[in-house]
Amino acid sequence: MVNIRSVAGQMFLLQVLIVLLLVVSAVTTLLLKARSDRFQSARSRSLAVAATFAQGPGLAAILKGPDPSAVLQPAAEAARKHAGVDFIVVTNPKGIRYTAPRPADIGKKFIGNIAPALAGGTTVESVGGPTGEDVQAVVPVTDASGAVVGVVSSGLQVSAVSSAINRQLPLVLGAGAAALALATGGTALVTGRLRRQTHGLGPAEMTRMYEHHDAVLHAVREGVVIVGGDCRVLLVNDEARRLLDLPPEVEGRLVDELGLDSRMADLLSSHRVATDEVVPIGDRLLAVNNRPTDHAGGPPGSVATLRDSTELRALAGKAEVAQGRLRLLYEASVAIGTTLDVRRTAEELTQVAVGRFADHVTVDLADSVLRGEEPPAGAYDEAPELRRVAVSSVRDDHPLYLEGGVHRYPPATPMAVGFVTGRPVLVPDLRATVDPRSPGGDRFQVMLDYGLRSLITVPLHARGVLMGVANFWRGQESQPFDEDDLSLAEELAARAAVCIDNARRFTREHAMAVTLQHSLLPRGLPEQNALDLAYRYLPAQAGVGGDWFDVIPLPGTRIALVVGDVVGHGLHAAATMGRLRTAVQNFSTLDLPPDELLGHLDELVTRIDQETAATEGEPSITGATCVYAIYDPTTGRCSLARAGHPLPALVHPDGSTEFPELPAGPPLGLGSLPFEAIELQLPEGSGLVLYTDGLVEDRTRDIGTGLDILTATLSHPGRTPQETCDAVLDALLPARQTDDIALLVARTRLLPPDRIAEWDVPSDPSAVAGIRAEVTRQLTRWDLDEAAFITELVLSELITNAIRYGTPPIKVRMLYDLTLICEVSDTSSTAPHLRYAAAEDEGGRGLFLIAQLAERWGTRYTRDGKIIWAEQLLPGAGATTSEADLLDAFGDDWS
């Protein structure tokens, strides 16, 4: 609120009155000008309309006509409306009206002076009416001879004429209001500025304030010096006089005339910004802060504050040392333990401490720690053998044990004492502590001769496990260690010990997982002639995963290839991989096609997930993928199916590579969609490459790029599977492998046609003898006469069962590969079962006889029926059953 009695209030009132006076004057002038303009506009318009109508062609003739009103009334009204006047009246020389705005006035006397018009002149006059003042013009109408035959009068009200002034009046009023508002705002700002500068104080209050400020300025324990823009001293308080040894009268003198130290004089004269700048003045150290006074519109110059920091210097040094130690601990917390590798963690401790805390740092650990094992618990009578795992030094020619060596500290050495007691040991001066004649003293003498003078040894223990010892050395050029350094060394060692123990435990778990994983993976490839095979399995660097592969021989010289991947890493993934691999091997014994096998595997995973769902914290295995392929070397056909796994690569003999359109199928455990299989005809020498996604996908590379690289790498005909594996890994193996990689490369072979024999068997028991004879002749051509006896017996039983219980057509096939395989097929889906016949039974011994004679036997189903097969070892590869052995085993009734 502005006080009207104050100067600011009176200024405000005066400005408002001036603005109001200017606004009233402007409005009055505009109103007078507007009235004059309206009269002039009305006179001009009335005269123009009357003159124009009077001079209209034919008007004189109409006036002389029989009925002028009938012709002129419509024309006059139309002209009046078009011209925007109030009336147009036409009269005869006597003043009788021929036209009027109101038809009732026609024939009446015209009100107005028409005498000047009858004399040939023009009259414009003002007439007062009931609605205001009117202006009317009277103009004569003459004929061709110049005689006045009539009068035309036009007029309108002055108030109906608008003026430009009327349009400007709101603008003038608005400008006046704006001026009044500006004056009010300006006065308010000025008033506020005055109130802020004086803080609302009166003269007496301001006098007391300045007296108090002066008293405080000279009483504070911090010097104040105010220097003007001309480098003259404006004000100096008592503390500044004392600190700078100034005389009593210095105000108004130049800074250079005060006899100050050059550095202090330059600082005060330069007006530059300084923050806690230390300036020596005699035996004092002054901390100076200097700030210019003109940065916010103030007067030129600067103000400096001074304080004596001599006593704080020693405290600052100690604080700086403490800050450095805290910084070292922080950097150690960040730098130590970046990996889960024991050796690397020990190296990080030595690298952090050397050069900043010690000149030489070593770390010794027990070998069991490096293997991930836990050192023996309990107390030690002497230091055990330790291995030097990390050494860092400011010099390379140090006499300390090198990295990798094994040593045992003698009992009297500080390292042995610290290890046995479990407490750190501080040796400020080795020369005064170590006896060269004691055990290990000669080694210390070498270190003393080198220049090592001080030692801190700290045992490395965490979670109750004593793992080793860390040694910190300083040379003769450095300050000896003290108690504060001992605390810092303990902090560094404690941090490193926890990280080393974490790495040790990870090493143990990783080794367990790797051991489990390797025990669950194939130890080698089975012997077979269907494929040339090579494989590579690379576990992830950060932990084992659930990738696996397998090569499973199947009946009929066929071979099954499987590659799978379990999501995740660690023991759970490795154990899950083993369960799935075992399940695939078990399902393969049923000789199922790939799509059916994956269906059974999917059901198994779903059941396992349902069981683990009830156990809190037990992870599921949903998300596992698998691809399963069966290759038959007798036909060259390959049947494949996959469950969410990457597409296998097919390499043709000419080197061209493609990824067959194999339906993806859902990952195992979802159970939402059935699996589909495709069958490919593979020429001999074709390549089939199965792999896991870790080969083609990486954090720095998407799977599309990986597949392109894989395609380019495989497109080189003539490589062996082993060479292909090496080339693929060279091209695709990432710098840091984060996922397992399983790679299986197969090159197809075909069983030679002369190793395959087939016969069609009539559905007649008498045909068995002829087939036996054909089999014997074929075995003779294969130089397998020793196997003829057993083969005839086996085929006789199989063919007889097919004729008796099966459905034609019946076929017999013999395959000569690593074993001799006999197959009998028919279109029936019934399967024989092995049973034990009683002594009085006439039948039931056929399959039992086959099981005794053959190495293996079984049944597999096809789309057209079933195949019963029996496999025999070749002569020389194993014992062959003779006729005498059969007599001993079965007696006289064996046939």
Side-chain angles (χ1 to χ4, degrees):
M1 179 67 69
V2 178
N3 188 354
I4 197 65
R5 296 182 179 181
S6 64
V7 175
Q10 294 174 1
M11 283 182 58
F12 174 72
L13 181 59
L14 179 60
Q15 288 182 0
V16 171
L17 292 176
I18 292 173
V19 170
L20 287 176
L21 180 60
L22 291 175
V23 171
V24 170
S25 300
V27 171
T28 302
T29 302
L30 287 174
L31 291 175
L32 294 175
K33 185 67 169 58
R35 175 177 175 80
S36 175
D37 287 348
R38 284 198 297 271
F39 269 100
Q40 185 62 35
S41 178
R43 291 168 60 89
S44 299
R45 189 186 301 179
S46 299
L47 181 59
V49 172
T52 301
F53 196 87
Q55 295 174 6
L59 180 60
I62 294 173
L63 290 175
K64 294 178 180 181
D67 190 3
S69 294
V71 177
L72 293 179
Q73 176 66 19
E77 284 302 302
R80 179 182 66 82
K81 293 177 181 179
H82 181 74
V85 294
D86 293 340
F87 62 87
I88 295 177
V89 176
V90 181
T91 68
N92 61 14
K94 295 180 180 181
I96 302 303
R97 303 183 185 189
Y98 290 141
T99 65
R102 293 182 298 178
D105 293 337
I106 295 175
K108 294 181 179 181
K109 184 73 173 179
F110 174 72
I111 301 173
N113 185 13
I114 64 173
L118 294 176
T122 298
T123 303
V124 178
E125 59 183 350
S126 297
V127 180
T131 59
E133 192 172 8
D134 295 342
V135 174
Q136 64 182 12
V138 181
V139 179
V141 180
T142 60
D143 58 7
S145 62
V148 176
V149 296
V151 177
V152 176
S153 177
S154 174
L156 75 162
Q157 292 182 358
V158 176
S159 60
V161 179
S162 62
S163 174
I165 302 302
N166 295 339
R167 296 189 297 270
Q168 296 176 358
L169 187 59
L171 180 62
V172 172
L173 293 176
L180 182 60
L182 288 175
T184 304
T187 303
L189 289 176
V190 172
T191 304
R193 181 66 180 269
L194 291 174
R195 290 177 63 85
R196 285 194 299 271
Q197 288 183 346
T198 61
H199 300 283
L201 301 177
E205 294 172 331
M206 293 184 65
T207 300
R208 288 195 301 271
M209 181 188 69
Y210 282 120
E211 290 176 351
H212 292 164
H213 285 185
D214 187 67
V216 171
L217 180 66
H218 292 284
V220 295
R221 292 296 306 274
E222 188 167 295
V224 178
V225 180
I226 301 177
V227 181
D230 57 354
C231 295
R232 293 185 180 274
V233 178
L234 300 180
L235 184 145
V236 177
N237 70 346
D238 295 342
E239 182 67 10
R241 297 176 193 275
R242 185 184 70 83
L243 295 175
L244 298 177
D245 294 329
L246 297 176
E249 300 296 332
V250 296
E251 284 81 357
R253 298 174 59 181
L254 293 173
V255 174
D256 294 339
E257 298 176 357
L258 302 180
L260 298 175
D261 181 82
S262 59
R263 183 175 173 183
M264 177 62 74
D266 292 341
L267 177 58
L268 295 177
S269 301
S270 63
H271 308 303
R272 64 180 175 87
V273 175
T275 302
D276 289 335
E277 185 172 329
V278 179
V279 180
I281 301 295
D283 58 351
R284 295 190 182 98
L285 293 176
L286 301 184
V288 182
N289 290 276
N290 195 47
R291 295 291 186 276
T293 58
D294 57 353
H295 67 281
S302 61
V303 57
T305 59
L306 319 171
R307 68 177 183 275
D308 192 351
S309 62
T310 306
E311 297 177 356
L312 299 177
R313 189 60 179 262
L315 295 177
K318 293 182 179 179
E320 185 177 356
V321 173
Q323 185 178 12
R325 290 175 175 172
L326 290 175
R327 188 182 301 111
L328 177 60
L329 287 176
Y330 170 74
E331 294 179 2
S333 66
V334 174
I336 300 176
T338 59
T339 66
L340 289 174
D341 181 80
V342 174
R343 294 182 182 272
R344 180 56 190 159
T345 304
E347 291 173 357
E348 291 169 346
L349 169 62
T350 62
Q351 292 169 359
V352 166
V354 75
R356 301 181 57 185
F357 176 69
D359 298 330
H360 315 272
V361 183
T362 63
V363 175
D364 304 324
L365 298 175
D367 279 337
S368 57
V369 175
L370 299 177
R371 295 191 299 268
E373 302 171 1
E374 190 164 325
Y380 287 86
D381 295 330
E382 61 178 0
E385 283 191 345
L386 299 176
R387 185 176 298 276
R388 178 64 49 84
V389 295
V391 180
S392 291
S393 175
V394 294
R395 295 171 56 182
D396 295 333
D397 59 344
H398 59 80
L400 302 173
Y401 289 126
L402 298 179
E403 185 176 336
V406 177
H407 56 274
R408 185 190 299 269
Y409 290 113
T413 59
M415 288 76 88
V417 173
F419 193 92
V420 171
T421 61
R423 294 189 296 270
V425 177
L426 167 65
V427 184
D429 189 354
L430 290 171
R431 294 171 296 181
T433 305
V434 176
D435 185 1
R437 295 169 296 179
S438 64
D442 54 346
R443 180 69 184 167
F444 271 96
Q445 187 61 48
V446 174
M447 298 178 183
L448 291 174
D449 295 339
Y450 176 75
L452 299 181
R453 290 293 182 268
S454 189
L455 166 68
I456 292 179
T457 179
V458 184
L460 297 174
H461 51 80
R463 303 181 181 96
V465 177
L466 186 56
M467 300 172 290
V469 63
N471 301 316
F472 304 89
W473 305 81
R474 281 183 183 175
Q476 57 188 0
E477 297 85 3
S478 304
Q479 291 291 330
F481 288 117
D482 55 21
E483 291 294 335
D484 292 337
D485 294 323
L486 180 63
S487 300
L488 179 57
E490 288 185 89
E491 291 286 346
L492 292 174
R495 168 68 183 174
V498 172
C499 296
I500 290 174
D501 189 56
N502 290 339
R504 177 191 65 81
R505 302 173 102 183
F506 172 79
T507 301
R508 179 185 60 189
E509 294 179 3
H510 182 72
M512 292 172 57
V514 170
T515 302
L516 173 62
Q517 185 185 49
H518 287 176
S519 67
L520 297 175
L521 288 171
R523 302 299 178 90
L525 297 178
E527 185 180 5
Q528 47 82 36
N529 286 331
L531 299 167
D532 287 330
L533 290 169
Y535 68 92
R536 295 290 187 274
Y537 186 86
L538 301 176
Q541 296 178 4
V544 297
D547 294 13
W548 92 92
F549 70 95
D550 215 339
V551 179
I552 306 172
L554 297 177
T557 70
R558 295 171 304 137
I559 196 80
L561 305 176
V562 58
V563 170
D565 185 3
V566 176
V567 175
H569 294 82
L571 289 173
H572 179 266
T576 301
M577 174 268 291
R579 298 171 75 177
L580 294 183
R581 177 172 177 252
T582 302
V584 171
Q585 288 181 331
N586 291 335
F587 289 143
S588 66
T589 60
L590 302 176
D591 217 341
L592 300 173
D595 51 341
E596 293 185 21
L597 185 141
L598 291 181
H600 287 290
L601 193 63
D602 180 68
E603 293 178 5
L604 174 65
V605 171
T606 301
R607 188 162 57 250
I608 294 175
D609 282 344
Q610 291 173 350
E611 294 174 355
T612 57
T615 305
E616 185 176 356
E618 184 72 16
S620 64
I621 60 176
T622 302
T625 64
C626 180
V627 59
Y628 187 81
I630 298 176
Y631 174 69
D632 188 348
T634 63
T635 61
R637 292 189 180 93
C638 182
S639 180
L640 306 96
R642 65 182 179 129
H645 202 80
L647 284 170
L650 177 60
V651 184
H652 296 284
D654 60 356
S656 59
T657 303
E658 65 171 323
F659 295 90
E661 292 297 331
L662 179 60
L668 299 175
L670 297 182
S672 57
L673 296 173
F675 299 96
E676 299 180 48
I678 64 170
E679 191 171 271
L680 303 175
Q681 184 68 40
L682 304 183
E684 188 171 13
S686 300
L688 190 61
V689 181
L690 309 180
Y691 54 89
T692 55
D693 57 358
L695 178 69
V696 295
E697 191 173 12
D698 187 61
R699 293 179 180 176
T700 59
R701 178 185 63 212
D702 59 27
I703 191 170
T705 303
L707 292 176
D708 292 340
I709 298 174
L710 178 62
T711 302
T713 306
L714 294 176
S715 300
H716 292 276
R719 284 178 177 169
T720 65
Q722 293 287 353
E723 294 171 343
T724 301
C725 285
D726 293 337
V728 168
L729 292 181
D730 289 342
L732 289 168
L733 190 63
R736 177 168 179 77
Q737 182 185 338
T738 58
D739 195 5
D740 289 7
I741 294 177
L743 174 64
L744 187 60
V745 178
R747 187 169 62 184
T748 61
R749 297 176 182 171
L750 289 177
L751 190 65
D754 58 356
R755 294 292 189 99
I756 304 174
E758 295 182 281
W759 299 275
D760 292 329
V761 181
S763 184
D764 185 357
S766 62
V768 177
I771 297 299
R772 291 175 62 175
E774 290 291 338
V775 168
T776 302
R777 286 191 289 270
Q778 183 63 49
L779 293 175
T780 301
R781 285 192 290 270
W782 286 344
D783 294 330
L784 298 177
D785 298 286
E786 296 181 16
F789 177 70
I790 301 299
T791 304
E792 289 180 9
L793 290 177
V794 169
L795 283 176
S796 295
E797 291 296 334
L798 294 179
I799 296 172
T800 302
N801 282 340
I803 294 173
R804 180 176 299 175
Y805 305 109
T807 305
I810 301 171
K811 294 184 179 181
V812 174
R813 186 173 72 160
M814 280 201 315
L815 305 176
Y816 177 20
D817 191 39
L818 297 177
T819 58
L820 182 62
I821 302 170
C822 301
E823 298 178 345
V824 177
S825 63
D826 65 81
T827 58
S828 172
S829 60
T830 58
H833 298 281
L834 180 66
R835 65 186 181 90
Y836 296 91
E840 64 274 9
D841 290 342
E842 295 183 1
R845 298 181 177 86
L847 290 180
F848 183 77
L849 176 65
I850 293 174
Q852 296 297 319
L853 297 178
E855 181 70 18
R856 296 189 305 158
W857 77 279
T859 303
R860 77 172 184 268
Y861 292 93
T862 65
R863 288 176 294 184
D864 301 325
K866 68 176 182 299
I867 297 175
I868 303 177
W869 56 271
E871 184 177 316
Q872 307 173 56
L873 295 178
L874 296 177
T880 302
T881 306
S882 63
E883 184 176 357
D885 296 331
L886 291 174
L887 290 173
D888 294 338
F890 298 102
D892 294 336
D893 296 331
W894 63 272
S895 58

